[in-house]
């Protein structure tokens, strides 16, 4: 069985003080249950602080929002895998649509980062998803296939199993417009079918595919109960410690 994984992508939010205040409330609300894997992905500036807060906490893992593929060197403004490892980071979000559209990240770049993350024992959360124009133009499957082939090129089946895929339809991010459970399930099933074709059925059955895009406590149960939805990548609603804990609780309830 695939363990569900709920991650908080804080994006460019949360100072050190705000991060501390978040965990004071969140850890109490979260409790000790470990049925669902929980990941918090702060901005780089808060990684060390959050890592310290989580040092003895078994219920929450640390993630980063991006990284460069090279080991070190003249790359002003960038961060490498080794620097993240040093802070006990487990996961790294790669190819988020905001990185793709605002910062020009291509599938080729996302692929280099994914391979570098895996080579350094970081688990990539690779984001894919179509725009509204692509959905309206019946391009969803073509876009997802291209992103899967490009972003995940060269991964072994074992590496694929270590990778989490986040299906985030661009039109649902930060818009309050969530994909319906049926729309999300159809996309997830297609992604899994592609993985089975390109790697093998066994690896495809093990890969966790998260949904992202306006996830909140009230729509969590309907999305997370879909057979191919294995978790959520939560933006806006993850900034509120009670709301994010509620998203985890809603997911746990489905497994009870
Ligand atoms: P929202 O939950 O704010 O729509 O953001 C989704 C997202 O981009 C998570 O990576």
């Amino acid at each position: 069985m695939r363990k569900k994984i709920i991650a908080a992508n804080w994006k460019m939010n949360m100072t050190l003080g705000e991060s501390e205040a978040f965990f004071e409330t969140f850890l109490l609300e979260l409790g000790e249950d470990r049925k669902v894997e929980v990941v918090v992905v702060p901005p780089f500036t808060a990684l060390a602080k959050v890592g310290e807060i989580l040092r003895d906490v078994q219920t929450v893992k640390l993630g980063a929002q991006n990284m460069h593929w090279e080991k070190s060197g003249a790359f002003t403004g960038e961060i490498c895998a080794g620097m993240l490892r040093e802070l006990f980071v487990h996961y790294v979000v790669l190819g988020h649509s905001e990185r793709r559209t605002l910062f020009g990240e291509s599938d080729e770049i996302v692929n280099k980062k994914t391979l570098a993350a895996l080579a350094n024992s970081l688990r990539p959360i690779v984001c894919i998803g179509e725009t509204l124009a692509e959905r309206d133009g019946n391009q969803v499957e073509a876009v997802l296939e291209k992103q899967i082939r490009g972003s995940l090129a060269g991964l072994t089946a074992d590496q694929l199993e270590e990778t989490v895929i986040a299906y985030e339809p661009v039109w649902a991010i930060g818009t309050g417009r969530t994909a319906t459970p049926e729309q999300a399930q159809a996309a997830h099933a297609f992604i899994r079918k592609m993985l089975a074709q390109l790697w093998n059925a066994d690896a495809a059955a093990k890969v966790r595919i998260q949904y992202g895009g306006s996830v909140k406590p009230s729509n969590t149960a309907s999305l997370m109960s879909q057979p191919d939805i294995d978790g959520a990548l939560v933006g806006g609603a993850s900034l509120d410690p009670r709301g994010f804990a509620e998203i985890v609780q809603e997911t746990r309830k489905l497994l009870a």
Side-chain angles (χ1 to χ4, degrees):
M1 260 312 283
R2 299 183 293 268
K3 187 168 185 170
K4 292 228 191 299
I5 174 168
I6 306 287
N9 177 8
W10 284 355
K11 308 190 180 183
M12 198 172 72
N13 297 291
M14 299 296 235
T15 61
L16 294 180
E18 287 165 345
S19 304
E20 248 175 322
F22 175 94
F23 280 102
E24 271 173 33
T25 305
F26 180 64
L27 292 176
L28 284 176
E29 298 280 329
L30 187 67
E32 295 298 321
D33 189 317
R34 286 199 242 167
K35 275 201 292 286
V36 169
E37 190 172 352
V38 178
V39 183
V40 173
V41 187
F44 288 137
T45 47
L47 276 178
K49 172 58 116 192
V50 172
E52 215 172 278
I53 293 169
L54 296 179
R55 191 181 300 152
D56 298 316
V57 173
Q58 308 297 320
T59 44
V60 185
K61 296 203 178 92
L62 188 59
Q65 296 181 17
N66 185 23
M67 58 167 252
H68 194 274
W69 59 89
E70 291 289 351
K71 282 192 173 62
S72 63
F75 302 100
T76 303
E78 295 292 326
I79 300 269
C80 65
M83 294 168 180
L84 299 178
R85 295 276 305 157
E86 205 171 35
L87 299 178
F88 304 105
V89 168
H90 268 83
Y91 286 94
V92 59
V93 174
L94 297 173
H96 190 279
S97 70
E98 288 147 18
R99 303 277 340 150
R100 290 176 185 265
T101 55
L102 303 173
F103 302 99
E105 287 194 15
S106 60
D107 286 326
E108 192 188 350
I109 289 176
V110 178
N111 184 231
K112 285 190 203 175
K113 293 182 174 188
T114 303
L115 289 167
L118 288 161
N120 286 280
S121 306
L122 289 166
R123 291 180 162 227
I125 298 178
V126 177
C127 304
I128 57 177
E130 81 287 354
T131 63
L132 189 57
E134 288 162 344
R135 175 162 285 266
D136 289 343
N138 283 323
Q139 293 296 302
V140 176
E141 295 191 348
V143 169
L144 294 178
E145 178 173 347
K146 181 171 169 291
Q147 291 175 332
I148 291 167
R149 285 180 182 274
S151 303
L152 303 179
L155 268 66
T156 64
D158 283 349
Q159 287 177 321
L160 184 72
E161 290 174 21
E162 297 293 306
T163 302
V164 175
I165 294 176
Y167 169 63
E168 300 207 308
V170 178
W171 48 272
I173 296 178
T175 57
R177 195 179 152 193
T178 321
T180 64
E182 294 73 24
Q183 284 173 323
Q185 166 56 29
H188 284 229
F190 174 77
I191 293 167
R192 205 177 301 285
K193 190 178 87 181
M194 281 304 311
L195 299 178
Q197 272 174 27
L198 295 171
W199 281 270
N200 61 62
D202 185 49
K206 288 185 182 145
V207 175
R208 292 177 298 172
I209 308 173
Q210 293 178 308
Y211 168 79
S214 299
V215 172
K216 51 193 178 202
S218 60
N219 59 27
T220 298
S222 61
L223 286 160
M224 294 308 121
S225 54
Q226 298 299 314
D228 286 295
I229 301 187
D230 308 311
L233 186 55
V234 188
S238 76
L239 300 173
D240 165 27
R242 287 193 177 79
F244 186 56
E246 218 183 307
I247 288 171
V248 177
Q249 312 283 15
E250 287 292 323
T251 308
R252 283 178 185 158
K253 272 196 236 161
L254 300 170
L255 308 170

